[in-house]
Structure formats: structure tokens, C-alpha cells
Amino acid sequence: MPTVKRILVTGGAGFLGSHLCERLVERGHDVICLDNFFTSQKSNVVHLLGCPNFELVRHDITLPIYLEVDEIYNLACPAAPGHYQFNPIKTMKTSMAGAINVLGMAKRCRARVLQASTSEVYGDPEIHPQPETYRGSVNPIGPRACYDEGKRAAEALFMDYHRMNRVDVRIVRIFNTYGPRMHPFDGRVISNFIRQALQAEEITLFGSGEQTRSFCYRDDMVEGLVRMMENDQGFIGPVNLGNPGEFSIAELAEHVLRLTGSRSRIVNKPLPADDPKRRRPDIRLAKEKLDWAPTVPLETGLAKTIEWFRSIEFSDYRPPTPHY
Ligand code: NAD
Ligand code: UDP
């Protein structure tokens, strides 16, 4: 494989994708960022547009596209519950048709292709923390199914192309990741709490706030994605990537209030259907195979994220447009 690779990042203008593109451009690779801007905007990658080794393609990954590449990171998919439930049928199409299109491309180009899967494949888990061997507890007919089952189907497709066509695949299961460039209106808990705190709005705590999540800072995640892609030891995953530090959502609200100095009131709202009660990655496999573990503690990552949220104009961001 040449040192300068032609790399496609689908969903490359999104929160994680834009940081990944940045990292790959810095390393000198020839980067194609493909996005339909459903949950993102050009401002995430505008600073890369002047780079000769960066190219932006507006395209919907549910439709075929022919590009000549060495590696593909498949990140195209709405990721926040509010975004993926906005048009659940389209979400399922994006996961499944998107996977088929990138796998077909990888097969034709003999490229390596990495799937951004998710901890949601474990659903509302009965095993804690979640190892990769756990098969999950997903409600196949609930409001989260479009995302959870779409990502599970994508994993199945990746493994079938690998077994049938020897496509060089990689599967990573990403646990809640946060940082600058999260969409301020995506409804995810960190973006909601920070925006609410900065705008002196009520902090919306769903349910009792005892449910837990484990939050990974974006730099750690991008490092994990690249290590998995560049692993030449034949390790294809699935592998969990996430920060094992586990916090209740009520604790998170207190952290955000303290770090922003906000006097917003915390108000309880109903818990959404099928909201997982506990989530924490078992990352022993990532440590063993990739020598990877997160390095950024929640407080540090939250402070950087808050600083970024202070620097943006919320009115520059819009909710998704209906999309069929
Ligand atoms: P994001 O919404 O910021 O990024 C997704 C990007 O994909 C956006 O730019 C969006 O416009 C684009 N997109 C959506 N549908 C598309 C389509 N049909 N064609 C082309 N582009 C399309 O979300 P993110 O947090 O950056 O997530 C990136 C990937 O990582 C997603 O696949 C997500 O499922 C996965 N993931 C993220 C997290 C997390 O906590 N951030 C956790 C688990 C998995
Ligand atoms: N949550 C909350 N208030 C909000 C948004 C989310 O209490 O304004 C809770 C949500 O119910 C869940 C957790 O925070 O228990 C994480 O939600 P998020 O949407 O960020 O991601 P999830 O891990 O559920 O996909």
C-alpha cells in the first residue's frame, strides 16, 4: 500500500467525519469527503477546502457512486436519536444501501473499508460492561430500531462481503462520543445540556437521570478509528471504541452546570422509549489488538466542548430537512 492513500470518508462533513478528514489531510493523504449535509453543514470542513489533497463531494450514499480509492471510512448516517428518528425509513436505507454501496466500491477497488457501527447494537444491555461477544438486546420494532437494526444489518453485510468476496473490512462499535462541532440542535445529551446551560434555559433531564453513559472525547475516537483502519495484523473486529468512565446523566448535568457557571434549573422530562439504562464499553480487545485506550477525562473534554459552543452562533445551525 502506498504511503499516500486515496481515502474516502462518507459522512465526512459530520461531527466525527470532519475531524477524521482533518487528521487524514494533515497526514498528506488524498481525501474525498462525501456528504449529503443531512445533519451537518459545510462550515465543518470549509477550512479544508483550500487544501490540494482535500475534495468535497455532495452525494447521498444510498445511491451508487464510482470513485477510485484505497480506503473507505463509512460514517454516513444520522447518529443522534432526534436525527435518526426524524425520518426512520431513510435512516435504515442509509445504513443498508450505504453499506452495500461502499462494500461494492471496496470490492471493485480492492480497498479496505471500515464501518462506523455503534454501541446501540447492544440495545438496552443485560450485560455490563458490554464486551464484543455480547449479542445485544434490541427492540426490533421500537423507535430506535431504524438505527440499531440498520447498524446491525450493516455489520452483517460487512461480514458477508468479507466471507463471500474477501473484502478487507473493519468494524468498530463506537460508544457515545462528544466534542467541538457537535450539532447544537442534535438533541444529544451533551449538546443539549451545554446549549441549555449557555442560553440560561432549563436543563432537560430525561427520566430520573440515573441512567448511565460513558463519554469519549472526539480526539481519542479519531485515533481509535485510524488505528483500526491501519492495523495490518488481520484484525477485522468488531471492536468497541469508547471511554469506560461511566457517569449518570444527572451527574453529567451537574458537571455541565459547574463548568459553564450556569444557573439553569434542572427539570425532569419523560424518559424516551427504549432508552438504554446503562452503557459502558469493555475495551480490553481494543487495548490488546490496537494498543488503544482513551486519554481525555470527561472534565477536560467537556471544558473544550463548552469553549467551542461559546464560540459559535446557534442561529447558523438548522434542524434536518425532510428527506425521502
Ligand atoms: P453526524 O450526524 O455529525 O455525522 C453523520 C454525517 O453523515 C453527517 O454529515 C450527515 O450529513 C451524513 N449523512 C447522513 N446521511 C447521509 C447519506 N444518506 N448520504 C451521505 N451522507 C449522509 O454524526 P457523528 O456523531 O459524526 O457520527 C458519525 C458516524 O459514527 C455515524 O455513522 C454514527 O452512527 C457513528 N457513531 C457515532 C457515535 C457518536 O457518539 N458520535 C456513536 C456511535 C456511532
Ligand atoms: N438525555 C437527557 N436529556 C436530554 C437529552 C438526552 O436526559 O436533553 C438522556 C437520554 O435520555 C439518554 C442519555 O441522555 O439517557 C444519552 O442520550 P443521547 O441522546 O445523547 O444518546 P444515546 O446514548 O441515548 O443514544
Side-chain angles (χ1 to χ4, degrees):
M1 183 69 75
T3 31
V4 173
K5 289 174 281 194
R6 299 163 302 176
I7 306 181
L8 169 65
V9 181
T10 77
F15 157 56
L16 278 176
S18 61
H19 290 292
L20 178 62
C21 285
E22 219 167 77
R23 167 86 181 260
L24 299 171
V25 165
E26 272 163 22
R27 287 182 164 202
H29 294 300
D30 187 356
V31 177
I32 305 171
C33 165
L34 179 154
D35 210 295
N36 70 348
F37 299 106
F38 176 46
T39 61
S40 60
Q41 54 291 314
K42 273 192 212 149
S43 58
N44 283 351
V45 288
V46 76
H47 58 293
L48 296 174
L49 287 176
C51 301
N53 57 335
F54 179 79
E55 192 179 342
L56 180 59
V57 177
R58 184 188 287 260
H59 181 78
D60 191 310
I61 199 59
T62 59
L63 303 169
I65 181 165
Y66 286 77
L67 300 166
E68 306 307 314
V69 292
D70 302 308
E71 286 179 355
I72 306 166
Y73 289 86
N74 187 35
L75 272 60
C77 186
H83 281 165
Y84 66 66
Q85 290 172 21
F86 185 78
N87 184 342
I89 298 166
K90 174 75 194 214
T91 299
M92 183 73 90
K93 280 188 193 168
T94 297
S95 270
M96 294 181 63
I100 290 169
N101 287 331
V102 295
L103 285 161
M105 187 187 295
K107 180 179 163 191
R108 180 177 54 79
C109 301
R110 296 184 201 282
R112 186 174 284 176
V113 57
L114 178 146
Q115 168 66 1
S117 190
T118 168
S119 53
E120 285 284 324
V121 299
Y122 302 125
D124 187 5
E126 306 113 321
I127 290 185
H128 193 78
Q130 294 79 54
E132 291 83 354
T133 47
Y134 176 49
R135 292 186 185 174
S137 169
V138 171
N139 175 1
I141 55 169
R144 296 174 89 102
C146 59
Y147 183 71
D148 302 8
E149 298 290 13
K151 290 284 188 179
R152 286 170 71 99
E155 285 198 16
L157 282 162
F158 267 65
M159 290 310 297
D160 286 335
Y161 270 76
H162 177 66
R163 283 186 288 255
M164 279 198 71
N165 302 119
R166 300 207 189 112
V167 174
D168 188 7
V169 300
R170 300 283 184 274
I171 300 174
V172 299
R173 293 181 178 155
I174 300 174
F175 283 65
N176 298 62
T177 302
Y178 69 100
R181 292 198 203 130
M182 291 185 89
H183 193 297
F185 298 105
D186 67 10
R188 290 191 254 206
V189 68
I190 289 195
S191 24
N192 262 10
F193 284 2
I194 295 179
R195 183 178 44 77
Q196 290 162 342
L198 294 182
Q199 296 195 308
E201 289 174 9
E202 290 177 338
I203 306 284
T204 53
L205 186 63
F206 297 167
S208 65
E210 285 165 10
Q211 71 272 29
T212 68
R213 293 293 185 275
S214 303
F215 298 102
C216 186
Y217 189 62
R218 57 118 211 255
D219 292 359
D220 285 328
M221 184 55 62
V222 168
E223 177 65 30
L225 296 175
V226 173
R227 281 198 196 194
M228 184 59 175
M229 178 64 101
E230 295 185 349
N231 179 279
D232 285 325
Q233 308 304 311
F235 174 57
I236 64 171
V239 64
N240 289 338
L241 293 181
N243 191 322
E246 185 181 356
F247 296 86
S248 75
I249 300 304
E251 279 177 284
L252 177 73
E254 295 298 343
H255 279 309
V256 170
L257 284 177
R258 187 169 39 77
L259 290 167
T260 51
S262 166
R263 300 176 66 182
S264 289
R265 223 163 46 92
I266 297 177
V267 294
N268 291 85
K269 299 276 180 188
L271 191 66
D274 297 335
D275 199 279
K277 288 180 271 308
R278 297 185 75 184
R279 179 182 290 157
R280 172 151 63 101
D282 178 336
I283 59 163
R284 281 176 295 178
L285 194 61
K287 280 186 178 152
E288 180 198 326
K289 300 285 189 187
L290 308 175
D291 191 25
W292 176 88
T295 57
V296 182
L298 184 64
E299 291 251 338
T300 314
L302 276 181
K304 290 182 185 194
T305 311
I306 290 166
E307 195 183 317
W308 181 78
F309 269 80
R310 283 191 199 280
S311 75
I312 59 169
E313 287 291 340
F314 292 126
S315 57
D316 288 345
Y317 293 81
R318 51 174 199 280
T321 44
H323 217 266
Y324 294 94

